[in-house]
Each structure stands twice: as structure tokens, then as C-alpha cells.
Amino acid sequence: MATYKNYVLVCGGTGCESSKSGDIFTNLQKAIKDNNLQHDVQVVKTGCFGFCEQGPIVKILPENTFYVKVKPDDAEEIVAEHLIKGRPIERLEYKKAEDTGRVHVDDIDFYQKQFRVVLRNCGVIDPENIDEYIARDGYAAIEKVLTTMSQDEVLEEIKTSGLRGRGGAGFPSWMKWNFTKKTESDIKYIVCNADEGDPGAYMDRSVLEGDPHSVLEAMSIAGYTVGAQMGYIYIRAEYPLAIERLNIAIDQARAYGLLGNNILGTDFNFDIEIRLGAGAFVCGEETALLQSIEGNRGMPTPRPPFPAVKGLWGKPTVINNVESLANIPVIINKGGEWFSKIGTEKSKGTKVFALTGKVNNSGLIEVPMGTTLREIIFDIGGGIIDGKEFKAAQSGGPSGGVIPAEYLDTPIDYDNLIAIGSMMGSGGLIVMDEDDCMIDVTKFYLQFSVEESCGKCSPCRIGGKQLLTILEKISEGKGTLEDIKRLEDISEAMKNASLCGLGQTASNPVMSTLKYFKEEYLQHINEKKCVAGKCKKLVSYEIIEDKCIGCTACARKCPVNCISGEARKPHTINQDECIKCGLCLETCKFDAVIKK
Amino acid sequence: MGKLTLDDLRKLREAKKSELSRRNNEDHSTQVIIGMGTCGIAAGAKVTLASFVKELDAKGLTSVVVKQTGCLGACDVEPTVEIIVPGMPTVVYGKVDGDTAKEIIEKHIIGKELLDNHIQDKPAIDIIET
């Protein structure tokens, strides 16, 4: 069967549909038929291209021409000019926006906002086949390092790249390596922190599942650089597929002699083993993680001594996060210079985000540092679900804070996020709209931190619980103005006095919501009102007498039978028994039930 | 293959590289690459995989290679499947359930036509030169 010469893809996402992509589709089909091209060109409706702001989008294959803001009337011209004469229509082609001041690698003059360094192989190679990794420059970095680079040269390359730890705090990676390298010891260790525990974050899991060899290769490079012969990957048992693929990858690498003794015929020895964690959030903290690997209860220990000097079994240990490691082979292959061109002045490279919440295209995305929240949510994420109002985004999980609408255009990097009271964290990004209550959200994160606190130090153990109790009080309408002061005081104390990162940052969600959404707190306290309707104790459902026709539909649905009344006469809700499930509101066809 | 020397690794890479880059060439076989991360599997990628294998078998399309890969990142349209047919542009389909898999075999692999409503854009340019 003959194949088509061209394919015209018309975006059929909701955004483009509402700006008449349907008409474009019909007009294109008609124009193609009029010109008798129906056997040469196929017009196809696609899923959302995630570039909704520039919609409607039309893409022409195989040449990959990308047309934006196409109107139904443009269809004829596209057919006559592009498809028949082969001349792309310049007027419709996507032009890169004016320079945003962000530093770009020369070759990303492309319409896509995403740039994949860490995720380069995810969704491209078969993760269970080492040959496919090798074909895509895999193990070329370890080859380069072992044959042409000294330990100091590797360190210099990482320093030039400007890579900072992707686990949260953003400590320069080369410095970590350098501390361990400089410490005299016959035994040293490399540890990969794969204990990803923030709610809504799954970047590391996806890397390990999609490209496990990149982490193994990076650990070997780290081993060569600091003089370690053994590496451990600490991963939670809740990630069975990632563990399975890591095991397969380790076996394959050993079989090829890419792990073990005399790697690639050189005198470099390095091997990796997996250690499973039970899924405690605190074990993502490096000292608690080391305790857990040693077989002790996962509790943090005071620093100093830092693990880089005195870590696993008292030996110098480099601990790097999965995402940081996945960058290393690319930095070696393409050079630190290349890497340092991506991102902002102080935050180099890209960041992977797990974009979730009230956003149309949720997903795992990778963007250059310095991309704005607006670009992430609206250009890549396709905007807020049902066209609702953006309220805030939560970054950094239970250790982070909210980014309100006024900072939508702030370039995202380590320092800017800290400056506005949030943090990069590992990269969970949860989008919230007008229906989300900030007190409710803060309560959720506090609940998480309280449950996950190891209980060793009192600021975290007691402080967290007290914060949660006060938040619960406020969400029930029993809060007082003094409570705000108490929240602030306890938060400050926890930040200063807790032993580890978990306690030091657990109050961040409270502090950042107090900073940007104080009015909402005051509303809950003074007016006993939750505008978003999320705090159940402050919400009531009532039936408007004039509108109720007594159809009994709501009474039959009510799970606690608290709606009463005679048939064909107005019903009433017994407020004392109501559990505020909202089923009556959903059920009523006459808009007689209201939420207050 | 046993333990690699430096030379072996280079040779293996060259060989595999040309194999991979032939993906879009006419003389290569048709491939179905299914996103099998935890997210894809949770969204039903195993059903999709089974449907592809069964249907390809039933139609006697034994030369079609079915492979797995990790997560592409398009969570809201999982399961995702990349289809490589010689002479056609490579496309990624989203929301591919068992029935859509059959439709892809029928229309795309056999009929050489693209399917409506399921095509997704590839998220980014590739930084690896193959």
C-alpha cells in the first residue's frame, strides 16, 4: 500500500478546540480534496501539544514544520503553498520569543520549552537492554574518564559545569566529591540517594526505571574520582519496578565488565549493591540514610562530622541524589562548559519536575533552570483544569512552600525559590486553583511531617504536633489571633533548633502560607469562613425553600439520612447530623441546595 | 558477550548506534515501543502490550518488533506507545488501551495511516546524536 507523502497534524486539545481547531481540520480536509491530494496527504487530529498559549497548532510531517495561531482561513494557503509548492508559510511559523535573558544552549532554538538532559533516555531506550544505553553514548563517559582524565580533571569538569545537588539543598556537587577525595582513607564509599519520599514526586523513580545505567555509570565515575571501590544505591522497597530494573542493569554491567574488577581492562575496580529502605521519609536525610544502610534505626546524627569525611561505617562517603548523578555522564561527554550554558547564573543545567494537581497536562517535565512557573504551568502544562483561576503552586513538598500568582514570572532556580520562601526540593510541583484552601493544604503537609518525624529531637517531634493542632483548630473555626503568633513562634523555633533537614524545614509550608495567604487564615479565624469550601467544619449545606419542589432525590442519596420533609414539599437538612459530604448539592436538579 | 575491553566497547557502540539510527530508514522493521514505567503500567500498559502481541500474532505480522521503554513523562495520556514504520514519520500515541492498540495495527501498521485523536508531541529535542 502506498504511503502518504505528508501528514498534517491538527492539535485537538481542549485549548485549541475552543479556538476553532475543528474548523481548521475541516477546512484542511476540504482544501486537500479540492486539490485532489487526498491520496498524498492525511489530515490527523492529535492530542494536546501542550503549547496551548500559541494555539491552535498545526504541525506538518515529515518536515516537522510547526505552525502556531493558525486560523480556519489559513487552511487553503497551507495546502496551496506548503503542501503543493513546498514553501513553508513564514508568517505562521513559530518564532522564538524575544530573548528572556536566560542563557540557552545554541541549538535549542526550538519551539519546545523542555530540554532533556537527565531524561535523555527515558522513553527512548529499553531500560532492560544495556546495548541500547551503550548505543546512545552510554558508558562513553566512564571510558573517557578511565582513559584520558585524571581525578583532578574530572573534578575540574564537574566544577566548570556548575552542577548543584538535585536532592533539595543545592550544594555544589564538585565540592562534595572534593571533600571525600581529599580525606585520607583506604576505604571510601559512593552512595546514591534514591529515597524519594515527597508526596507527588516521582522524578527519581522514573529515571531509575527508564535509564538505570546512567546512574550506575555516574557512580563509577564518582568512585574513580574520589578513590572509592564500592557503591550503594539506597532505594525504598515501595519502588519494585525501579529495583527490578536496577538489578537487571547491575547484572548486565557486571557481565560486560563495566562493574567489578579491572573495568574495561584498566586497574580500576568498582562495584554497586542495592540497599532497600522501608520508606521512611527521614531516611532521605543523608545521616539517617547512612544509619539505615548500616542496619540501624533510621535516625539522623548531628553534623559535623559530615558524611564526606566520616560517613558510611565511619569512612568518607559521597552521597548524591539520582537526578544529580544522571547529569554526570552528559557533563563528561559534552563538557562542563556545554552544561554551564544551560540555566541561570547560579543554577546550571536543567531541573526535572513532577507537575501535578489542577493542571491540564500533568507529567514529568524537564526544563532549563530559570524557566518561569508561568511557562511550566501554561505552556507545558496546558493551563489550569476547567479554565479556573491559578492560586498557587507548591514546590519542595513538605519541606517547601507555596508560590503565589504574583511570582508566576519569577525564573525558577535554587536561590529565587529560597528568596520567596519555598525551595527547589526534589522537584514535586503541585498546582492549586481557587478551589484549594491554603489551611487545608498546609494541614496535609504538616500531617505528613508529623507522621514521618523520627522523634529524636524535641523541636521537630513536639513542634510539628503543636503546629498541626493549631492548624486543626483554625480549620474548625476555633482559632484565635494569638494562634497566628504561636504558629510563627513555633515555626521559627523548629527551623533553628531541629537536628536535621526534616524538622528544620517542616514548618516551611506554614511560614510560606502565612506570608502569602494571611488573609485566608484571618478569614477562618475572624469570619469562621472557608471560601474554598474545603474546611468541613466551616461549611454548611442548606436547602432554599422556594426552589425545592420536594422530589426527595437528595433525601434518598443522603448517606446519613439527615434530610427530611414530605414529598412535594420543601425539605430541610438537619445540621447537627450532616457530615458535609455534598452529595445533596450534586444530586439536586433544581439548584435548591446551596453551600455556605 | 564476556567482559569488554575498551576496544570492544567502542565497537559495540558503533554497531548498536547504526542499528538505532536505522530506526527511520526504509529497510528496517516496524517497531512498537511501549512506555512501561510504573505510571504506564498503572494506567494499563500491560493490557496494551498484551493486546499488541496477541493482535500482531493473529494477523501474522511476525516481523513487527514489540519493545518496552521507560516513562516518557506524559502522565495524563498514559499508556503511551511509539510507532516506527519504515517510510512513515515516527509518532507517539497516547491513551492507548487494548482496543486502540488493535486500531493502530489495523490503520497505522497495515493501512499506513495515522490515527486521529491519539498523537502526542515528543516533549523535547534529543541531545544525543545518533
Side-chain angles (χ1 to χ4, degrees):
Chain A
M1 183 174 293
T3 53
Y4 294 99
K5 280 191 208 124
N6 283 102
Y7 300 87
V8 182
L9 310 183
V10 183
C11 182
T14 24
C16 290
E17 284 266 303
S18 66
S19 42
K20 305 213 169 120
S21 73
D23 292 348
I24 299 172
F25 183 78
T26 322
N27 289 1
L28 277 167
Q29 268 188 326
K30 186 175 171 296
I32 282 164
K33 209 150 181 236
D34 289 349
N35 287 289
N36 214 10
L37 287 172
Q38 64 269 37
H39 300 296
D40 296 317
V41 182
Q42 189 196 357
V43 189
V44 192
K45 211 179 263 189
T46 73
C48 181
F49 269 48
F51 207 61
C52 312
E53 205 180 309
Q54 296 276 335
I57 310 272
V58 172
K59 192 172 179 180
I60 300 184
L61 299 179
E63 55 264 51
N64 260 326
T65 313
F66 195 73
Y67 289 140
V68 294
K69 293 189 177 161
V70 180
K71 297 198 174 56
D73 293 342
D74 296 327
E76 269 181 52
E77 195 181 338
I78 291 175
V79 173
E81 284 296 311
H82 189 137
L83 296 172
I84 295 175
K85 296 182 192 156
R87 289 197 295 238
I89 304 159
E90 211 175 298
R91 164 176 75 84
L92 295 172
E93 273 185 288
Y94 175 67
K95 284 172 210 68
K96 221 176 108 211
E98 289 299 298
D99 195 16
T100 48
R102 200 161 65 229
V103 192
H104 271 291
V105 173
D106 311 333
D107 55 358
I108 22 176
D109 190 20
F110 205 55
Y111 67 89
Q112 282 154 318
K113 301 265 172 172
Q114 290 203 57
F115 189 67
R116 299 200 156 193
V117 177
V118 173
L119 301 177
R120 62 193 177 278
N121 288 326
C122 289
V124 179
I125 61 165
D126 179 352
E128 296 182 12
N129 185 347
I130 189 172
D131 290 351
E132 293 206 2
Y133 178 69
I134 289 174
R136 288 176 54 82
D137 294 342
Y139 291 105
I142 188 73
E143 177 191 320
K144 186 173 173 185
V145 163
L146 290 179
T147 51
T148 63
M149 294 171 87
S150 71
Q151 294 171 309
D152 287 323
E153 280 169 343
V154 179
L155 214 50
E156 199 55 37
E157 204 66 65
I158 307 292
K159 187 179 175 182
T160 311
S161 77
L163 179 69
R164 293 168 68 175
R166 298 290 191 251
F171 193 76
S173 303
W174 78 272
M175 280 171 81
K176 262 191 188 178
W177 287 22
N178 195 30
F179 287 140
T180 304
K181 177 175 175 288
K182 281 194 303 192
T183 309
E184 291 282 330
S185 175
D186 50 340
I187 297 174
K188 295 178 185 178
Y189 295 107
I190 307 295
V191 170
C192 167
N193 184 349
D195 192 71
E196 182 177 50
D198 309 22
Y202 50 95
M203 297 75 54
D204 296 346
R205 193 197 70 207
S206 294
V207 171
L208 292 170
E209 285 176 5
D211 193 16
H213 286 285
S214 67
V215 174
L216 303 187
E217 185 180 5
M219 288 176 73
S220 309
I221 294 168
Y224 169 81
T225 310
V226 307
Q229 300 198 342
M230 190 64 211
Y232 293 97
I233 299 175
Y234 185 80
I235 182 168
R236 42 185 53 214
E238 290 145 309
Y239 279 1
L241 188 63
I243 295 165
E244 185 189 321
R245 293 203 173 140
L246 270 174
N247 275 318
I248 293 171
I250 291 173
D251 286 346
Q252 289 176 345
R254 280 188 191 142
Y256 271 1
L258 293 163
L259 284 177
N261 289 339
N262 302 104
I263 291 174
L264 291 171
T266 65
D267 56 4
F268 174 59
N269 307 328
F270 192 77
D271 207 359
I272 295 173
E273 283 180 18
I274 295 176
R275 288 291 179 269
L276 299 187
F281 184 58
V282 74
C283 289
E285 196 283 331
E286 56 182 21
T287 59
L289 183 152
L290 295 179
Q291 289 292 322
S292 179
I293 293 183
E294 289 180 17
N296 302 322
R297 185 172 163 187
M299 277 185 166
T301 53
R303 295 180 303 184
F306 286 91
V309 179
K310 203 165 176 245
L312 196 56
W313 291 295
K315 303 292 180 190
T317 304
V318 169
I319 305 173
N320 282 142
N321 152 280
V322 171
E323 193 184 330
S324 319
L325 288 169
N327 277 300
I328 301 282
V330 180
I331 292 174
I332 299 294
N333 283 330
K334 290 186 176 274
E337 187 70 33
W338 177 88
F339 189 84
S340 71
K341 284 184 197 156
I342 314 164
T344 61
E345 199 194 330
K346 286 186 176 161
S347 301
K348 301 298 186 190
T350 61
K351 181 75 192 85
V352 183
F353 289 102
L355 184 63
T356 56
K358 307 279 179 64
V359 64
N360 277 317
N361 307 332
S362 59
L364 197 71
I365 61 155
E366 181 172 351
V367 290
M369 292 274 188
T371 304
T372 66
L373 197 56
R374 188 185 299 281
E375 289 171 293
I376 292 177
I377 295 174
F378 292 91
D379 292 347
I380 299 172
I384 311 292
I385 294 177
D386 293 335
K388 289 201 173 170
E389 193 74 29
F390 168 82
K391 186 170 184 178
Q394 213 281 349
S395 80
S399 315
V402 291
I403 309 170
E406 66 222 69
Y407 292 109
L408 269 175
D409 293 309
T410 306
I412 295 184
D413 64 13
Y414 290 105
D415 310 287
N416 282 346
L417 281 185
I418 299 261
I420 60 176
S422 185
M423 70 184 262
M424 187 74 82
S426 49
L429 200 56
I430 300 169
V431 178
M432 293 174 282
D433 68 4
E434 51 196 289
D435 293 337
D436 290 304
C437 163
M438 287 299 135
I439 284 89
D440 190 56
V441 170
T442 311
K443 233 172 62 183
F444 168 78
Y445 283 112
L446 244 294
Q447 189 116 41
F448 181 86
S449 295
V450 167
E451 276 168 19
E452 295 291 341
S453 169
C454 77
K456 184 171 180 175
C457 72
S458 45
C460 173
R461 184 182 68 239
I462 302 171
K465 176 75 182 127
Q466 288 309 315
L467 285 182
L468 182 61
T469 309
I470 296 171
L471 285 172
E472 275 165 354
K473 210 174 126 192
I474 294 174
S475 77
E476 287 171 3
K478 295 174 188 158
T480 60
L481 286 175
E482 287 79 60
D483 284 332
I484 301 250
K485 179 81 177 57
R486 268 183 218 121
L487 284 178
E488 284 167 349
D489 289 347
I490 298 172
S491 294
E492 196 61 31
M494 285 176 71
K495 188 178 161 189
N496 294 329
S498 295
L499 179 60
C500 82
L502 194 156
Q504 286 157 10
T505 58
S507 60
N508 275 353
V510 179
M511 291 201 281
S512 86
T513 47
L514 266 178
K515 186 169 168 192
Y516 298 115
F517 295 96
K518 197 163 199 170
E519 265 165 46
E520 217 168 305
Y521 278 88
L522 295 177
Q523 247 171 8
H524 280 74
I525 293 171
N526 294 333
E527 300 165 40
K528 316 273 176 234
K529 231 167 91 181
C530 175
V531 180
K534 280 277 147 67
C535 296
K536 284 191 173 177
K537 288 269 168 72
L538 301 182
V539 171
S540 67
Y541 291 90
E542 281 169 30
I543 294 173
I544 307 170
E545 227 184 285
D546 295 347
K547 285 194 177 172
C548 178
I549 63 152
C551 71
T552 74
C554 60
R556 276 178 281 136
K557 273 276 169 73
C558 177
V560 290
N561 292 321
C562 74
I563 303 176
S564 56
E566 280 176 52
R568 289 185 211 92
K569 283 189 182 152
H571 282 47
T572 51
I573 299 173
N574 181 346
Q575 296 298 337
D576 294 336
E577 286 175 23
C578 175
I579 56 162
K580 333 248 166 132
C581 67
L583 260 181
C584 48
L585 180 75
E586 275 173 39
T587 310
C588 184
K589 288 187 183 127
F590 308 96
D591 297 327
V593 182
I594 52 158
K595 182 175 173 182
K596 269 190 177 170
Chain B
M1 196 178 284
K3 292 202 173 185
L4 304 180
T5 61
L6 282 167
D7 220 33
D8 295 338
L9 178 65
R10 286 179 199 137
K11 276 184 197 147
L12 180 66
R13 180 173 304 116
E14 286 317 308
K16 293 294 167 186
K17 209 166 219 176
S18 63
E19 211 171 277
L20 267 191
S21 65
R22 257 192 287 137
R23 273 186 174 180
N24 298 324
N25 278 2
E26 306 251 346
D27 59 336
H28 209 56
S29 59
T30 297
Q31 295 183 40
V32 174
I33 305 171
I34 305 172
M36 302 279 278
T38 295
C39 36
I41 292 171
K46 282 190 175 165
V47 177
T48 308
L49 175 72
S51 180
F52 267 112
V53 172
K54 193 170 156 223
E55 199 63 17
L56 287 170
D57 222 32
K59 295 232 183 314
L61 296 167
T62 46
S63 65
V64 176
V65 181
V66 181
K67 297 205 299 194
Q68 65 165 349
T69 186
C71 160
L72 190 73
C75 311
D76 59 322
V77 293
E78 293 282 359
T80 55
V81 178
E82 185 173 354
I83 305 287
I84 302 170
V85 173
M88 284 177 79
T90 295
V91 290
V92 176
Y93 287 111
K95 292 189 182 165
V96 183
D97 58 11
D99 289 338
T100 315
K102 285 183 198 162
E103 220 181 317
I104 289 175
I105 294 174
E106 196 66 50
K107 284 202 184 134
H108 188 139
I109 296 177
I110 298 175
K112 307 281 191 265
E113 270 187 21
L114 302 183
L115 242 67
D116 271 334
N117 298 325
H118 288 279
I119 294 181
Q120 299 298 315
D121 203 15
K122 279 208 168 183
I125 48 162
D126 197 348
I127 64 160
I128 310 285
E129 297 121 35
T130 45

